[in-house]
Amino acid sequence: MSLAHAILGFLQKQNMTGYDLKTSCFDKCLAHLWPADQAHIYKTLEKLLEQDWITCNVEIQQDRPNRKVYSLTAAGNAELLRWLQCSQSLPTIREPLLVQLFFATQLPNEAIVNLLEKQLAAHYEKVNDCQTIKLSPFNETLADREQLVYQLIQELIMRREQIYIDWLKSTIELLQLE
Amino acid sequence: MSLAHAILGFLQKQNMTGYDLKTSCFDKCLAHLWPADQAHIYKTLEKLLEQDWITCNVEIQQDRPNRKVYSLTAAGNAELLRWLQCSQSLPTIREPLLVQLFFATQLPNEAIVNLLEKQLAAHYEKVNDCQTIKLSPFNETLADREQLVYQLIQELIMRREQIYIDWLKSTIELLQLE
DNA sequence: GAGAGCATGTAAGAGGTTACATGATTCC
DNA sequence: GGAATCATGTAACCTCTTACATGCTCTC
């Protein structure tokens, strides 16, 4: 249910369209915490409407497609607050590379090293990406408290990446020595 | 597609039933790399049959339900080998706790600390679990190479957990000071 | 007698992705 | 002229989970 609640969370800060949510919120702030697809966001908005947790107001535009601007209802706000206090389950992590490695003992070392190197390159790219994320979607000046929380989140994400990078590097070295 | 290929991988080592795959393989070896549900395993076995990557042989039993023993075909083996050489995408990690924290600045510090402490307890439990995983489902003596790979995988999993634990601990301390 | 283990599955739904379609405007 | 931006969506599909159902045996 995190996608639905993340949408509620963003709408609490500011009224927005599905497009805004995708481009300014999910892709910018939550890309590394909760990636979300455009089609999925639109579908979820409909469900939230059905639940009466949000409402929709159409702004007619001449030059461009009309905007469906969503906003949080009182019920939606209450639901968000309820969810914010529920303890969440641990992240489910599925690791394609490690599954592959698990069965890859039948491959020669060079083939395995090759796979690891590609993954390492992808992680380097991702770290680059992570460094440029902006955790606040709006141009407000943030309270100290918010800034602190955002910094903490960013740090966990970076550490998480660093672990993979370190592990990949040392594993590649090890296999090359053999 | 990792679930399908993991099944091929296990069947390459030994013929098995869906039940065996769930209880001896996925739950024991891949629990922290690629958790898999029983219903999902059965459905995937059917798809693999349709593709002719596996075949099924029914063993009739008197006292117990019959066993559908699956085995890898030559085509299945080829597919596994092909997949083992494809570079995999990075793991998609979705973090319910971090999303929650992202929106939780409206909660008092104690409420946040409470959430973090629950998550920390869950991670401690998981680390315990991870320490008891046995990466080989069979009672064979392993080649050095396999043993090395399994050790490396285990280490990455443990480090991944440790990061979360360290982060949660220091974040709790920080918030309690405020 | 209750519960765990063996072994099969189905049905329904939640969650998520990919690809396609529209149509105007602005920038290179 | 071609690509990007704005803004909407749909359809099909894949992945995964939850809950239910059956029925026998062995152990506590």
Side-chain angles (χ1 to χ4, degrees), chain A residues 150-163:
Chain A
Y150 291 167
Q151 264 169 36
L152 287 166
I153 292 175
Q154 176 111 32
E155 204 185 305
L156 178 53
I157 294 175
M158 292 298 283
R159 277 203 228 169
R160 204 178 64 186
E161 280 309 300
Q162 200 55 50
I163 284 271

Side-chain angles (χ1 to χ4, degrees), chain A residues 31-45:
Chain A
H32 306 290
L33 301 183
W34 203 277
D37 183 85
Q38 175 250 60
H40 200 186
I41 291 173
Y42 281 111
K43 254 199 275 180
T44 306
L45 281 168

Side-chain angles (χ1 to χ4, degrees), chain B residues 17-19 38-39 42 61 64 67-68 94:
Chain B
T17 66
Y19 184 83
Q38 175 251 58
Y42 280 110
Q61 301 195 118
R64 286 153 191 256
R67 287 161 55 83
K68 288 192 178 180
R94 289 194 161 86

Side-chain angles (χ1 to χ4, degrees), chain A residues 6-178:
Chain A
I7 291 176
L8 296 180
F10 283 120
L11 291 180
Q12 189 191 45
K13 299 192 184 175
Q14 196 168 299
N15 296 348
M16 270 182 280
T17 66
Y19 184 83
D20 296 336
L21 281 164
K22 170 65 175 160
T23 55
S24 315
C25 299
F26 283 94
D27 287 355
K28 296 242 168 88
C29 312
L30 296 193
H32 306 290
L33 301 183
W34 203 277
D37 183 85
Q38 175 250 60
H40 200 186
I41 291 173
Y42 281 111
K43 254 199 275 180
T44 306
L45 281 168
E46 270 176 32
K47 280 192 193 164
L48 292 174
L49 269 178
E50 276 171 38
Q51 297 267 338
D52 293 315
W53 287 342
I54 60 176
T55 54
C56 176
N57 185 35
V58 181
E59 278 179 17
I60 288 150
Q61 301 196 118
Q62 261 103 25
D63 305 350
R64 286 154 190 255
N66 293 339
R67 286 161 53 84
K68 288 192 178 181
V69 181
Y70 295 94
S71 44
L72 203 62
T73 62
N77 197 58
E79 170 58 23
L80 176 60
L81 261 150
R82 190 197 61 73
W83 180 80
L84 282 177
Q85 291 167 77
C86 293
S87 82
Q88 304 296 311
S89 57
L90 296 189
T92 305
I93 312 184
R94 289 193 161 87
E95 304 261 12
L97 176 76
L98 294 190
V99 173
Q100 190 181 33
L101 206 58
F102 182 83
F103 292 108
T105 43
Q106 59 199 287
L107 297 184
N109 266 8
E110 311 93 71
I112 297 181
V113 166
N114 187 288
L115 293 169
L116 297 175
E117 275 172 347
K118 282 190 183 147
Q119 193 89 177
L120 181 57
H123 274 291
Y124 277 132
E125 232 184 276
K126 188 171 172 188
V127 164
N128 250 332
D129 255 41
C130 287
Q131 275 163 341
T132 62
I133 48 170
K134 218 191 124 205
L135 278 168
S136 170
F138 314 113
N139 295 321
E140 6 144 52
T141 33
L142 293 173
D144 289 356
R145 190 118 174 297
E146 281 186 319
Q147 224 155 24
L148 172 66
V149 167
Y150 291 167
Q151 264 169 36
L152 287 166
I153 292 175
Q154 176 111 32
E155 204 185 305
L156 178 53
I157 294 175
M158 292 298 283
R159 277 203 228 169
R160 204 178 64 186
E161 280 309 300
Q162 200 55 50
I163 284 271
Y164 282 103
I165 288 177
D166 293 345
W167 182 88
L168 283 165
K169 275 190 187 167
S170 63
T171 301
I172 288 169
E173 268 180 48
L174 228 155
L175 291 178
Q176 275 171 339
L177 283 179
E178 283 219 336

Side-chain angles (χ1 to χ4, degrees), chain B residues 95-108:
Chain B
E95 304 263 10
L97 176 76
L98 294 190
V99 173
Q100 189 181 34
L101 205 58
F102 182 82
F103 294 108
T105 43
Q106 60 198 286
L107 297 184

Side-chain angles (χ1 to χ4, degrees), chain B residues 19-70:
Chain B
Y19 184 83
D20 295 335
L21 281 164
K22 171 65 176 159
T23 55
S24 314
C25 299
F26 283 94
D27 287 354
K28 295 243 168 85
C29 313
L30 296 192
H32 306 290
L33 301 182
W34 203 277
D37 183 84
Q38 175 251 58
H40 200 186
I41 291 174
Y42 280 110
K43 254 201 272 179
T44 306
L45 281 168
E46 271 176 33
K47 281 192 192 165
L48 293 174
L49 269 179
E50 277 171 38
Q51 297 268 338
D52 293 316
W53 287 342
I54 61 176
T55 54
C56 176
N57 185 34
V58 181
E59 278 179 17
I60 288 151
Q61 301 195 118
Q62 260 103 25
D63 304 351
R64 286 153 191 256
N66 294 340
R67 287 161 55 83
K68 288 192 178 180
V69 182
Y70 295 94

Side-chain angles (χ1 to χ4, degrees), chain B residues 3 7 57 62 81 85 91 103 105 112 118-119 131 160 165:
Chain B
L3 180 63
I7 291 176
N57 185 34
Q62 260 103 25
L81 262 150
Q85 291 166 76
F103 294 108
T105 43
I112 297 180
K118 282 190 182 147
Q119 193 89 177
Q131 276 163 342
R160 202 178 65 185
I165 289 177

